[in-house]
Amino acid sequence: MEEKKSPVVYLAVVGASKASPEIYDLAVAVGRQAARRGWIVVTGGLGGVMEAAPRGARETGGLTLGILPGGDRGEANPFIQVAVATHIRHARNSIIAHTADALIAVDGEYGTLSEIALGLKLGKPVIGLKTVWNIPGVVQAESPEEAIEKAAALLKRET
Amino acid sequence: MEEKKSPVVYLAVVGASKASPEIYDLAVAVGRQAARRGWIVVTGGLGGVMEAAPRGARETGGLTLGILPGGDRGEANPFIQVAVATHIRHARNSIIAHTADALIAVDGEYGTLSEIALGLKLGKPVIGLKTVWNIPGVVQAESPEEAIEKAAALLKRET
Amino acid sequence: MEEKKSPVVYLAVVGASKASPEIYDLAVAVGRQAARRGWIVVTGGLGGVMEAAPRGARETGGLTLGILPGGDRGEANPFIQVAVATHIRHARNSIIAHTADALIAVDGEYGTLSEIALGLKLGKPVIGLKTVWNIPGVVQAESPEEAIEKAAALLKRET
Amino acid sequence: MEEKKSPVVYLAVVGASKASPEIYDLAVAVGRQAARRGWIVVTGGLGGVMEAAPRGARETGGLTLGILPGGDRGEANPFIQVAVATHIRHARNSIIAHTADALIAVDGEYGTLSEIALGLKLGKPVIGLKTVWNIPGVVQAESPEEAIEKAAALLKRET
């Protein structure tokens, strides 16, 4: 009677709410490739990297989840299909880290760093793409392709 | 360039994690009818009413969202398609109230009461189906059909 | 080497952020008598009942704790000695319920009702003073004295 | 009528729940000196650095606040005078960052890094004492004295 759960992967793409065109395009590419693998793309639901990754995922027909800091679903960017209005502000970073199977950080600022830290704390694979900090435990990638492949490889190793 | 946001309705169905067969069936029917209207069904993602409503929604091809108290998506019941692992325990009740456009409480215990209260606090329509408390502001319904219709009518009035 | 922990009681006094003079005075009296027993008075830290109870407690030299919805300690009323800036809005109601050994609700609106519900959910004694709802599990009291005495009796029974 | 609020400083001392004797002693010294200045010492309330700093503060008669990840005040270490049981796990790191005027990180692991990141995100002075990461924005200190002095200087500049 019960549906069989497909072992779908939730990938969090974390980064700043404002992004240069270069960073924005990288995050779009990450989202596009994640969706091609059938992964759900999770972000904080606002602008910049949080918008670019679901934009890429939607182009490829992927499912996107936004975990918003505020209390109004309307603050989600238009590429978020399922929006969660937390109203717990920065504390929602912890929800993103818990919900994700793996995290890819694209560039990023301090909020991103807190998500990287919580992802590592929870033992999730964390990939850094153009991140400025050198945090032991973060796996560096040079391109969206490499980031996705490294995430996939680390997720496979876990199971 | 941006996708047009459809004004999709998020309906929270709140109730206890253990349900009698009668209550379970009522919640299934609520979920079924919500999905027929194209609404997303949101619950706390565990058992009882939290499982019955998404079960009904899935039968009808609806989208279901579970906002879990724990930190592991695996605790979601099998009818949840998109699971959010909050790890903030009862504090996630507030997220359910914020995320929902309207709430239907089916029977329920104290956790449910906190969700009813927060829904009312936020000015959301709250429908009670077989709820035991008499809380001013909660609209009573006698059947799943009536509950859904009253929620729809109250949502229409808002816009 | 370690200090002996005194089994100090944390009493949450919950109620609306706006209070009539009558309700305000009742909450002051609750705070005063809690402090006389050496209890720490916990509130949401804003106005109305959340201000009155710590005001009463401070008159009697008691310790007061405010668990604020916002992210700035400055929003605490002047009778809060130790302020916690949660920035998780209504989700902080759950923290109040967890932190308290017992709750006294004075009048109150929907936010208060959510705290009553969470207190009952957690099995804490919950006393109602001039509360409008009739929630099974809430112990009614007619005066601040009776509210404090009933809380004390229920706490004694637990240990 | 209202009490005059003293502009008391809340200092968060963040670090791992397990600490070497050397790190433990550094955190004790930080707590001791903070208390001498009349500052409230805030930690996550568990072991290691979270225990050492309030231990130092209590030796000097200071006030200590523990913001716990769990739902039971009993998990606080014995040097915490005012305990807040959040039950929101890692999400409480955000509450520590909001509640503090400044943060001193002593050594630390990934949870600490998330607190450093959130402190910087919120524009709070963040001092690092024996921290392993090199995060732009963190002010390095070589001793507890220097850490406290730098925190005091940065707080003065703000006002």
Side-chain angles (χ1 to χ4, degrees), chain A residues 10 40 42-43 64-68 82-86 88 92 94-100, chain B residues 10 42-46 64-76 80-89 92 95-96 99:
Chain A
Y10 286 54
I40 294 179
V42 186
T43 75
T64 60
L65 169 63
I67 299 177
L68 301 163
V82 178
V84 175
T86 68
I88 64 169
R92 72 89 153 75
S94 164
I95 298 183
I96 292 173
H98 275 291
T99 297
Chain B
Y10 286 54
V42 185
T43 75
L46 302 180
T64 60
L65 169 62
I67 299 178
L68 300 162
D72 181 354
R73 291 201 328 268
E75 75 181 12
I80 296 297
Q81 286 178 289
V82 178
V84 174
T86 67
H87 217 205
I88 65 169
R89 316 304 318 177
R92 72 86 152 79
I95 298 183
I96 292 173
T99 296

Side-chain angles (χ1 to χ4, degrees), chain D residues 115-130:
Chain D
E115 292 166 312
I116 289 171
L118 291 168
L120 292 169
K121 170 85 179 173
L122 299 175
K124 310 279 174 93
V126 180
I127 318 292
L129 184 59
K130 305 275 175 191

Side-chain angles (χ1 to χ4, degrees), chain B residues 90-91 93-94 98 109-111 113-114 117-118 120-122 133 135-137, chain C residues 90-91 93-94 98 109-111 113-114 117-118 120-122 133 135-137:
Chain B
H90 303 305
N93 294 1
S94 164
H98 275 292
E109 42 74 80
Y110 292 132
L113 180 58
S114 81
L118 291 167
L120 293 169
K121 171 85 179 173
L122 299 174
W133 312 284
I135 308 293
Chain C
H90 303 304
N93 294 1
S94 163
H98 274 292
E109 42 72 82
Y110 291 132
L113 180 59
S114 80
L118 290 168
L120 293 169
K121 171 85 178 171
L122 299 174
W133 313 284
I135 308 294

Side-chain angles (χ1 to χ4, degrees), chain C residues 25-38 41 52-60 62 145 148:
Chain C
D25 289 350
L26 283 174
V28 168
V30 168
R32 202 181 285 136
Q33 301 204 19
R36 270 195 206 121
R37 286 176 183 257
V41 169
R55 179 192 280 254
R58 291 301 298 136
E59 281 176 15
T60 332
E145 293 72 22
I148 292 284

Side-chain angles (χ1 to χ4, degrees), chain D residues 16 53 55 68 83 105 107 112 123 135 149 156:
Chain D
R55 179 193 281 254
L68 300 162
D107 189 32
T112 316
I135 309 293
E149 273 162 27
K156 197 166 290 173

Side-chain angles (χ1 to χ4, degrees), chain C residues 115-145:
Chain C
E115 293 166 311
I116 289 171
L118 290 168
L120 293 169
K121 171 85 178 171
L122 299 174
K124 309 279 175 91
V126 180
I127 318 293
L129 183 59
K130 305 275 174 190
T131 48
V132 293
W133 313 284
N134 182 17
I135 308 294
V138 175
V139 175
Q140 297 300 328
E142 297 302 317
S143 69
E145 293 72 22

Side-chain angles (χ1 to χ4, degrees), chain A residues 87-123:
Chain A
H87 217 207
I88 64 169
R89 316 304 318 177
H90 302 306
R92 72 89 153 75
N93 294 2
S94 164
I95 298 183
I96 292 173
H98 275 291
T99 297
D101 295 298
L103 296 88
I104 296 180
V106 187
D107 189 31
E109 40 74 82
Y110 291 133
T112 316
L113 180 57
S114 81
E115 293 166 311
I116 290 171
L118 291 168
L120 293 169
K121 171 83 179 174
L122 299 174

